[in-house]
Every structure is written in C-alpha cells, then in structure tokens.
Amino acid sequence: MAPGPESDSAIEALLAEPFGNWHVETIDLTLQLRVTKSGEAQVHRKRTAPPVQADGDQPAAQQQAATTTQHQQTGTTHGQQPAGTTERQQQAASTTQRQQQAGATERQQQESASQQPAVAVPGGHDRAKAYLLDPGDPIFAEIGGSAAKRRQVDAFLRALAATLPGELTGPLRVIDLGCGNAYLTFAAYRYLSQRGLQVELVGVDVREDQRRRNTELAERLGWADRVRFVAGTIADAVVEPAPDLVLALHACDTATDEALARAVRWGARWVLAAPCCHHDVAAQLRAGGTPAPYGLLTRQGILRERFADVLTDALRAALLRLHGYRAEVVEFVDSAHTPRNLLIRARRTGAAPTRDQQAEYRQLVDQWRVAPRLETLLSQDPVDR
C-alpha cells in the first residue's frame, strides 16, 4: 500500500492483533521486535544494503527474498524481472512480491486459526491470546474504533466475564450509561449473546445525534429489536424496566457518580464503571485545605490531582458497600492503552453495612472535609425510572 489513510488504517488493524514478534522490512531498513513474557520490547534495527545486480538481471535482494520464501512456502517461485527494468522498479517489484507472499501466508494462517480455538501451549513461547471479542470481528467494520479503543473494550469484557457467574442463564437486561459512540454497547451485546444469553441492551447518551447514529448502526447489524438507544442525561434518562447490569466506560467526573447512583437505585445486580476525570474532589481539596499531617500529599499540584483520584474512587467503593454491594477497584487494562484504567466492579449482596464500615467512611470524609457527589445523590429521594 502507498503511504496514506489506507495504509494507516491497515497498520492500525495489525497493531490490534496479539502478535509477540514483528519483522518489518522497508527499502533501507529491517526492524525486528520481540515482546518478552514480562512485557519488555526488544528491538533490533539493521540497515539494508543497496540492491546490486546479479545473474539474470535480478537484484540480489530479490534473489534472497525468493530463497527465504521458498523455504517458508513450498512451491512458490519468482519470475525474473524483464531486461532493462530500472533498479527502482525492480526493487519495488521485489517488495510487492514479498508483501503478496506474506499476505497469502497470513491469510492461510488466519484460515487455519479460525478453525481452531486459540489456546496456550504448555511450556511453549508462542501463546495465542484468546480475545473475548476478536479485533477482526465483523462488527468493527460497522462500528469502527481505534486499536487502542478495541483493546480497552476487550479488557472491559474480560472484567465483565469475571463478574458474571458462569452458570448465568435466562434474559439479561443491560444498560450502558454515557455510551457515546457505543463501542462498548455493541461489543457487550455481541459477547453476551455469544454466551447464549437473551440480552436486552439500552445505551444512554446526552446527544440526540449519537442516538440516531447508534440506532442506525443497530439496524444495519440486525439488532434493532434487542439493542436500542435513548437520548438523555445519565441522571434523568427514562429506562424501563430496571436493568440487571449497569456499564459505564469513562463517564467524565461526576457523571460516574450519577451512573453509580442510578445503579444503586435500580438495585442492579452487577455494576462495572471505569471512571474518567476526578475534578470534583480535587477542587474541594484545593478549597478546603489539607488536614495535618498530610500537607505534603497535596502541596504539589500533580500529587494533589492524583491523590484526589485515589480518594474519589475509594469513597465511591465505600459508599457502594454501605448500600449493599460488594465493591472492589481493579486495573482492567494496561496504562499504556489509557491512563484512566481503573474499574469499580460491584455485585449486589443486600448485606447491611456494619458499624465499623459506616464509621470508617465517615471519619475519612470528615477528616478531609469533602462532600462526595455520590453520597449527595444517594441521600436524595429515590425517585427513579
């Protein structure tokens, strides 16, 4: 492919694949990358010598490529370049042949892999990563999404798989609050329906144009009767009946609090929310001062912001526990893919909070003189739809 949007898109799609080893050849450079088990990237670069003419007017680099390819793929042969072909044309032809052969080999590998599930080979070094929703799934041709976004979605689905019981059957009502372009919405429906569940899924976003766009996508995918979209705020959108599962991926600042509050009021059985920015508590810390002896934690702006992130999510998890949920905060994707990589995961137990849990929460809030938005929302009259 020539440099441009098409090649950029192709490279982005390749980077989403779970390869641990890469071998890239350009006109003047050979680059090899190997990712170790510990995640370390080992890179080796080697300059490629300029091609020289060999017997039969065939560049030496092309002869070498032909020999290598014949070892890799039995029965493949190369024709010689016509006499008088310029060096640049010969070089381009050699590159094109290598790309075509590599593409054919890759297609054969993909066809073979599609017939067998991805498994880890005991004691081996090459382990195929079993995606819950393959980055090459046809739905991505419709919904789009960058490689980084697809990794986030797959990681979120893994957290979802670890949350739902394996023996879960029957209909499942799901809501995705603050769904945006609905990457997670469609991916979650795809994954859950592949588990054999009867899924009814609603995506909520404040923008009417997003609702129309996502509804059209659902129609093109043939899912309009099971996946629908509502325009409205997280706090006020009308959703009936109440969901069993609430999702929220990167709802900004207090929008995450609104998502958690609605989940609690609905009595949702499971909640998964990946928070985004945390401006509310950070602003309260700036205005209210820092209790002794913790001044060093908030004196530097960057440390105050990061501490506000930790404090906010700790208080959110504590409030969920006080309202009958077992809650935990986990890392759901590597920070290389997004710095907002924490996930609040909760399961409703209905257990009443203990006095120690209530006291622990109140002491922390009083000492830091903050008023968590989630506490305010949960203390309001539970008028919900």
Side-chain angles (χ1 to χ4, degrees):
M1 296 180 181
E6 186 179 5
S7 62
D8 291 345
S9 177
I11 291 172
E12 187 76 4
L14 281 173
L15 291 175
E17 297 295 328
F19 295 125
N21 294 277
W22 293 83
H23 184 96
V24 181
E25 289 186 2
T26 69
I27 292 177
D28 56 359
L29 180 70
T30 297
L31 183 143
Q32 292 176 287
L33 167 67
R34 186 173 75 88
V35 181
T36 66
K37 292 182 180 179
S38 62
E40 177 187 2
Q42 298 179 349
V43 181
H44 176 72
R45 295 180 178 86
K46 182 180 179 180
R47 305 298 299 183
T48 302
V52 296
Q53 295 294 338
D55 295 339
D57 295 329
Q58 186 181 31
Q62 184 177 336
Q63 291 179 338
Q64 181 179 359
T67 303
T68 302
T69 305
Q70 286 171 350
H71 282 297
Q72 295 174 342
Q73 187 174 350
T74 304
T76 300
T77 60
H78 294 277
Q80 294 182 345
Q81 297 294 327
T85 303
T86 65
E87 181 177 305
R88 181 177 297 275
Q89 289 173 330
Q90 292 169 348
Q91 190 172 352
S94 175
T95 301
T96 301
Q97 287 177 338
R98 289 198 299 272
Q99 290 173 340
Q100 290 173 343
Q101 291 154 0
T105 302
E106 182 180 351
R107 285 192 297 272
Q108 291 174 353
Q109 292 172 342
Q110 289 176 343
E111 290 171 358
S112 175
S114 66
Q115 297 173 3
Q116 299 179 356
V119 296
V121 181
H125 296 285
D126 297 328
R127 290 178 171 83
K129 181 177 180 180
Y131 281 93
L132 291 185
L133 189 61
D134 194 295
D137 191 291
I139 72 164
F140 287 114
E142 291 289 343
I143 69 176
S146 66
K149 177 60 68 175
R150 296 182 192 185
R151 293 189 191 100
Q152 292 177 42
V153 168
D154 185 76
F156 200 103
L157 293 180
R158 289 181 180 278
L160 175 59
T163 302
L164 299 179
E167 67 276 9
L168 182 64
T169 59
L172 182 69
R173 295 183 299 275
V174 185
I175 186 166
D176 183 5
L177 295 173
C179 65
N181 286 324
Y183 301 127
L184 177 61
T185 315
F186 289 114
Y189 176 80
R190 181 71 145 191
Y191 165 68
L192 292 170
S193 60
Q194 287 178 346
R195 283 186 54 167
L197 299 172
Q198 299 176 14
V199 182
E200 298 178 8
L201 201 153
V202 178
V204 174
D205 194 84
V206 70
R207 293 170 50 183
E208 171 61 23
D209 61 327
Q210 289 283 46
R211 185 199 67 79
R212 292 196 300 269
R213 170 194 176 275
N214 296 334
T215 298
E216 291 172 359
L217 281 175
E219 291 172 349
R220 289 207 299 269
L221 290 166
W223 297 346
D225 59 331
R226 290 151 290 170
V227 181
R228 62 186 180 90
F229 295 88
V230 174
T233 66
I234 291 176
D236 299 324
V238 177
V239 179
E240 295 179 350
D244 304 299
L245 168 65
V246 174
L247 309 176
L249 176 58
H250 293 159
C252 189
D253 197 18
T254 55
T256 294
D257 298 304
E258 293 171 356
L260 295 175
R262 291 213 73 176
V264 171
R265 290 178 177 174
W266 277 321
R269 298 170 64 185
W270 303 281
V271 185
L272 287 90
C276 192
C277 46
H278 300 69
H279 300 312
D280 185 53
V281 168
Q284 294 183 50
L285 291 178
R286 286 195 300 272
T290 303
Y294 304 112
L296 291 177
L297 290 177
T298 60
R299 188 166 299 166
Q300 306 295 327
I302 183 63
L303 296 180
R304 182 175 59 247
E305 294 295 326
R306 292 184 179 181
F307 177 73
D309 292 0
V310 173
L311 181 59
T312 300
D313 290 334
L315 292 173
R316 285 167 171 165
L319 280 164
L320 288 173
R321 284 191 289 269
L322 296 181
H323 286 79
Y325 284 82
R326 178 181 178 181
E328 57 183 346
V329 181
V330 299
E331 183 181 85
F332 77 99
V333 69
D334 191 272
S335 60
H337 304 312
T338 172
R340 300 300 182 180
N341 64 337
L342 295 187
L343 177 72
I344 299 173
R345 183 168 60 187
R347 176 174 61 85
R348 182 167 181 79
T349 64
T354 66
R355 290 185 178 181
D356 288 343
Q357 289 173 332
Q358 293 173 325
E360 184 180 37
Y361 171 80
R362 185 50 52 193
Q363 289 171 3
L364 185 59
V365 168
D366 292 345
Q367 185 173 21
W368 284 93
R369 296 189 289 276
V370 294
R373 178 62 177 164
L374 181 56
E375 180 183 354
T376 302
L377 292 170
L378 290 173
S379 64
Q380 297 172 354
D381 293 337
V383 177
D384 215 332
R385 294 173 292 277

